[in-house]
């Protein structure tokens, strides 16, 4: 099965178009050893066939072995509403490697503000090398939630590449 993957970027923090604030939505950093990472990503990704929904323990160990990747729970009040993670890369880049809400929070108006908080945190991350962060990027596909790409674009991300990729069957 093929999917269309869209790669998007921001090249300056002033490009962020913040969503309407939702005061109950916060980011809560967690350690990469937390079992909440695998469980939360699996629940977020299951409806869309994300690899994280069916990773083996060995695959999770490889994913979590990235020492610079930061993991953040998206909270709505005291409840876990989703998750994001991002990783500094050479040349002043930060890749948002995961962003998503749990199914019961999708469609409730939280995604825009959660993404705003994620992007602000990505711009504030300590860079990998001496260069300051100059680019935040991510990718999504046409099998992700239909609001994903529009939300990224509304927040100020611009597509820089689109391509067809073979999608691994996770069933």
């Amino acid at each position: 099965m093929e999917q269309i993957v869209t790669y998007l970027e921001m090249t300056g923090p002033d490009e962020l178009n913040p969503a309407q604030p939702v005061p109950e939505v916060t980011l809560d950093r967690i350690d990469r050893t937390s079992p909440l990472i695998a469980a939360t990503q699996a629940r977020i990704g299951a409806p869309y066939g994300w690899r994280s929904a069916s990773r083996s323990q060995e695959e999770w160990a490889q994913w979590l072995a990235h020492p610079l990747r930061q993991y953040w729970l998206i909270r709505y009040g005291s409840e876990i509403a989703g998750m994001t993670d991002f990783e500094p890369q050479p040349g002043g880049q930060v890749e948002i490697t995961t962003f998503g809400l749990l199914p019961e929070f999708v469609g409730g108006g939280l995604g825009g503000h959660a993404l705003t908080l994620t992007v602000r945190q990505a711009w504030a991350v300590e860079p990998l090398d001496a260069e300051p962060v100059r680019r935040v990027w991510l990718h999504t596909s046409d099998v992700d939630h239909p609001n994903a790409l529009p939300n990224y674009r509304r927040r100020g991300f611009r597509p820089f590449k689109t391509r067809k990729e073979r999608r691994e069957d996770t069933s």
Side-chain angles (χ1 to χ4, degrees):
M1 179 176 161
E2 284 192 335
Q3 63 182 340
I4 298 172
V5 179
T6 303
Y7 296 80
L8 302 108
E9 68 183 350
M10 276 185 199
T11 53
D14 59 330
E15 294 176 4
L16 175 62
N17 181 24
Q20 185 71 25
V22 180
E24 298 87 0
V25 174
T26 59
L27 295 183
D28 182 19
R29 187 165 180 186
I30 58 172
D31 188 85
R32 66 185 174 134
T33 61
S34 174
L36 291 172
I37 295 169
T40 305
Q41 282 198 21
R43 286 196 53 224
I44 292 166
Y48 314 108
W50 287 6
R51 267 182 262 151
S52 60
S54 61
R55 280 188 182 128
S56 68
Q57 285 191 351
E58 181 178 304
E59 290 169 321
W60 269 114
Q62 288 176 344
W63 177 261
L64 296 169
H66 292 260
L68 300 176
R69 189 171 289 145
Q70 295 184 14
Y71 300 90
W72 299 77
L73 293 175
I74 299 167
R75 292 198 180 268
Y76 182 68
S78 62
E79 296 181 73
I80 296 172
M83 188 173 171
T84 188
D85 54 65
F86 43 85
E87 183 173 346
Q89 298 176 340
Q93 299 188 61
V94 176
E95 179 185 5
I96 297 173
T97 48
T98 302
F99 176 80
L101 298 177
L102 294 170
E104 61 269 28
F105 290 95
V106 171
L110 309 180
H113 185 59
L115 183 58
T116 297
L117 296 176
T118 296
V119 172
R120 285 180 177 149
Q121 193 63 51
W123 279 110
V125 75
E126 186 174 329
L128 181 62
D129 43 32
E131 289 189 50
V133 176
R134 62 176 182 80
R135 180 176 183 243
V136 173
W137 69 279
L138 53 80
H139 70 273
T140 188
S141 98
D142 62 344
V143 296
D144 278 342
H145 191 279
N147 289 340
L149 183 58
N151 188 22
Y152 297 140
R153 293 189 76 145
R154 279 192 302 272
R155 300 293 71 81
F157 281 96
R158 296 176 313 279
F160 68 91
K161 178 172 62 173
T162 302
R163 68 181 191 191
K164 288 184 181 178
E165 293 182 3
R166 180 159 176 79
R167 182 169 187 237
E168 294 178 22
D169 185 12
T170 60
S171 54

